[in-house]
Amino acid sequence: MASKVNRFDYDRTKVSSGIVHIGVGNFHRAHEEYYTDRLLALPGNERWGITGAMLMPGDEKLYRALDSQDGVYSLTVCGRDGNDEVYEIGSLKGVVWAGDNPDEIISLIANPDTHIVSLTITEGGYNIDKATGEFQLNNPAILHDLEDHDSPRTAFGFIAAGLTRRMHSGAGRVTILSCDNLQHNGDTARKAFMAFFEAYNPRLAEWARENVTFPNSMVDRITPATLPADVQRLNKENGTADAAPVYCEDFVQWVIEDKFTAGRPAWERVGVQFTDDVTAFENMKLSLLNASHTLLSYPAFLAGYRKVDEAMRDGRLVQFVRDFMDIDVTPYVPAPENTDLAEYKQTLVERFGNRSVSDQVARLCADGISKFPVYIMPNMEKMLADGKDLRRLAFLIAAYRHYLKYKVDDAGVPFEINEPWMTPHDEALALSDDPVDFLDFSAFAGAPLRKNANFVDIYLDLVRSIAEDGAMKTMTEL
């Protein structure tokens, strides 16, 4: 690493792996690895290194890059003041890819030295039906893993196989720690994994009830995708030759329920907050940060913006986001202890506008099917019940439909959408010429949108306005 980089100064040869992490993406490497790298710099924490498990066929390129560097990579933390800090991260002890060696992943989970299996498998990765709230046992990949225990394809199959070996060998308890952006993510993980375990092997489910815990956690750090141009830029700026660099904002937060059944790192020594209940923290973050990102994404993208900081230099979009946070969200967000909501919201606006991060609007648009049920619908259902002003949320849903149906922005520039969980039924609803059909989209399941005549009238007016006048003019005239 170049002289500009803050190198880790601990002896990496003395670090062992106490954590297996499934889903070694950019966010994980800017968040859990960042905190763990800082902790390893403090004596006595050598058993808490992390081994990354990469399950998807599309993970091969990143796996090869990280494996060639023995898991070491650079993290550029982009300051809101324009000053960046670059860190060499050494906490990722190594990576394993299921395409090369699936049994090694199972063995790592079964290893008695593994005390935590952490996850970033995305909001949609928990395989929960949005309409019923139940785990989908009829998913083809799930059906495969229930039949073939030796060659799993999903996180559920790999973890079940590893825990089965733990159960038989007496390797002991383990914690499954979700690090995904879900309200009560630990509860969601417990529901999903226990449903899978019951179908996989009832004896394993019984063992897991006594030997596995699922803490809830709230995670926060804006981390853009690293595009090929970013790799070149970061290496040039940092004087590095890193095949797998990451960059992120300077803000970072992690709040975790202290429910670890097999020991845990002393992450509190490096800024992680442990608590008995994360509800207020996660509600604040999901309802303000993530929901505002989703609100901003589609109108900004349709208006031609491709970078979040550029969109946040448009005063109309800033006011739209501020009104949403102040009028629509704040009444439903009790502030966590020692938190000033006004200050938190101001910080969010500053974070969104961070020019050094320059996040991609396309990243915020991606996978709306998974994001709406988590970020938008919980508060929207309360607003519907309370008879609140629904214009901004009706506009968001109208803009989302326009984005999915027409796939061109207000200037006529075509684009591709990224909806990995889109079903043929959802696609038909999005492409229907009757806008009301879109209100039955799976992302809105459980909310009585079609039955609310006031909402439907507002929504239809906004659908017509976006089609005739464009998203930005429509938003400005709300």
Side-chain angles (χ1 to χ4, degrees):
M1 293 285 180
S3 58
K4 179 181 178 180
V5 179
N6 296 295
R7 297 173 57 90
F8 59 81
D9 58 2
Y10 49 87
D11 185 349
R12 200 162 176 260
T13 64
K14 295 181 179 178
V15 175
S16 60
S17 178
I19 303 171
V20 173
H21 181 83
I22 295 177
V24 187
N26 283 7
F27 176 76
H28 165 71
R29 294 193 290 140
H31 195 262
E32 184 178 347
E33 295 289 353
Y34 167 79
Y35 278 116
T36 304
D37 181 78
R38 293 181 63 197
L39 182 64
L40 291 175
L42 306 178
N45 296 286
E46 293 81 7
R47 70 187 181 113
W48 291 114
I50 301 173
T51 298
M54 308 175 78
L55 308 186
M56 306 303 291
D59 290 336
E60 181 177 6
K61 183 178 180 181
L62 178 58
Y63 162 72
R64 300 290 180 206
L66 287 169
D67 189 53
S68 71
Q69 299 173 176
D70 197 27
V72 176
Y73 61 93
S74 62
L75 173 66
T76 300
V77 178
C78 303
R80 278 165 280 174
D81 60 2
N83 294 316
D84 300 345
E85 288 284 336
V86 188
Y87 298 92
E88 177 191 50
I89 303 295
S91 51
L92 185 61
K93 280 288 293 178
V95 286
V96 183
W97 179 50
D100 275 354
N101 197 341
D103 191 71
E104 185 176 354
I105 296 174
I106 296 170
S107 296
L108 283 165
I109 295 168
N111 192 316
D113 291 335
T114 296
H115 304 287
I116 297 170
V117 178
S118 55
L119 307 165
T120 43
I121 58 175
T122 77
E123 298 92 337
Y126 292 86
N127 193 43
I128 299 293
D129 185 278
K130 299 174 183 64
T132 66
E134 298 302 318
F135 186 76
Q136 301 177 88
L137 286 167
N138 60 349
N139 180 305
I142 295 298
L143 289 172
H144 170 274
D145 285 3
L146 291 174
E147 291 293 325
D148 186 346
H149 293 188
D150 297 323
S151 301
R153 296 176 182 172
T154 71
F156 302 100
F158 276 100
I159 289 177
L163 295 191
T164 298
R165 291 187 190 178
R166 291 185 81 95
M167 177 176 68
H168 291 317
S169 68
R173 297 168 176 262
V174 70
T175 295
I176 296 177
L177 175 64
S178 172
C179 302
D180 282 300
N181 272 319
L182 292 163
Q183 197 151 23
H184 304 307
N185 55 12
D187 294 344
T188 299
R190 180 190 298 108
K191 182 172 191 173
F193 278 96
M194 291 305 299
F196 182 85
F197 295 160
E198 287 283 2
Y200 184 93
N201 180 350
R203 186 181 167 203
L204 174 62
E206 183 180 354
W207 180 89
R209 278 189 281 271
E210 298 297 323
N211 292 279
V212 182
T213 54
F214 298 85
N216 290 306
S217 71
M218 185 278 278
V219 298
D220 193 1
R221 177 165 249 183
I222 295 171
T223 308
T226 306
L227 305 177
D230 295 317
V231 174
Q232 295 181 8
R233 172 181 61 83
L234 293 167
N235 281 325
K236 182 177 180 180
E237 290 175 355
N238 300 336
T240 53
D242 187 354
V246 185
Y247 69 107
C248 63
E249 65 169 332
D250 53 357
F251 182 93
V252 63
Q253 188 176 23
W254 197 6
V255 184
I256 314 175
E257 280 182 345
D258 203 352
K259 295 180 179 178
F260 291 76
T261 191
R264 64 166 176 80
W267 280 316
E268 68 272 17
R269 298 182 65 187
V270 290
V272 176
Q273 183 175 348
F274 286 92
T275 181
D276 292 332
D277 186 357
V278 302
T279 301
F281 292 96
E282 63 186 11
N283 186 36
M284 177 182 70
K285 191 258 181 174
L286 296 174
S287 299
L288 287 169
L289 186 151
N290 295 110
S292 296
H293 261 167
T294 298
L295 182 91
L296 171 70
S297 60
Y298 303 108
F301 198 87
L302 293 173
Y305 290 110
R306 296 298 179 262
K307 293 290 189 177
V308 178
D309 61 302
E310 293 173 354
M312 291 300 287
R313 292 199 286 276
D314 187 323
R316 297 168 297 176
L317 284 166
V318 173
Q319 190 61 52
F320 183 58
V321 170
R322 284 188 179 275
D323 286 346
F324 173 71
M325 290 194 291
D326 291 341
I327 300 170
D328 300 336
V329 179
T330 297
Y332 299 100
V333 179
E337 186 177 356
N338 300 321
T339 300
D340 184 326
L341 271 187
E343 182 180 329
Y344 181 81
K345 289 184 286 187
Q346 176 59 31
T347 300
L348 288 182
V349 172
E350 294 171 5
R351 292 168 64 191
F352 292 176
N354 187 329
R355 299 189 185 197
S356 296
V357 173
S358 199
D359 199 1
Q360 302 99 351
V361 180
R363 185 184 75 86
L364 307 188
C365 293
D367 197 13
I369 287 175
S370 296
K371 291 175 179 176
F372 268 84
V374 178
Y375 307 152
I376 299 296
M377 303 315 296
N379 280 339
M380 186 175 183
E381 289 178 29
K382 296 173 186 175
M383 291 176 66
L384 284 163
D386 293 345
K388 297 289 187 178
D389 180 358
L390 300 169
R391 289 174 299 159
R392 277 170 291 276
L393 289 171
F395 170 74
L396 170 60
I397 290 175
Y400 184 36
R401 174 184 178 270
H402 193 93
Y403 165 88
L404 294 175
K405 179 174 173 63
Y406 296 105
K407 302 180 182 64
V408 293
D409 66 19
D410 289 353
V413 178
F415 55 80
E416 294 183 3
I417 66 169
N418 179 9
E419 287 286 355
W421 304 101
M422 176 90 79
T423 65
H425 179 64
D426 274 333
E427 186 174 17
L429 294 174
L431 296 178
S432 171
D433 290 332
D434 183 351
V436 177
D437 288 343
F438 188 61
L439 300 181
D440 293 326
F441 204 60
S442 66
F444 318 135
L449 301 184
R450 183 191 279 267
K451 296 178 182 178
N452 188 302
N454 180 49
F455 175 85
V456 172
D457 288 344
I458 296 169
Y459 162 74
L460 289 175
D461 284 342
L462 293 168
V463 166
R464 285 190 290 269
S465 180
I466 292 172
E468 294 171 4
D469 302 323
M472 282 299 288
K473 183 177 181 182
T474 301
M475 185 196 75
T476 304
E477 294 177 352
L478 273 179

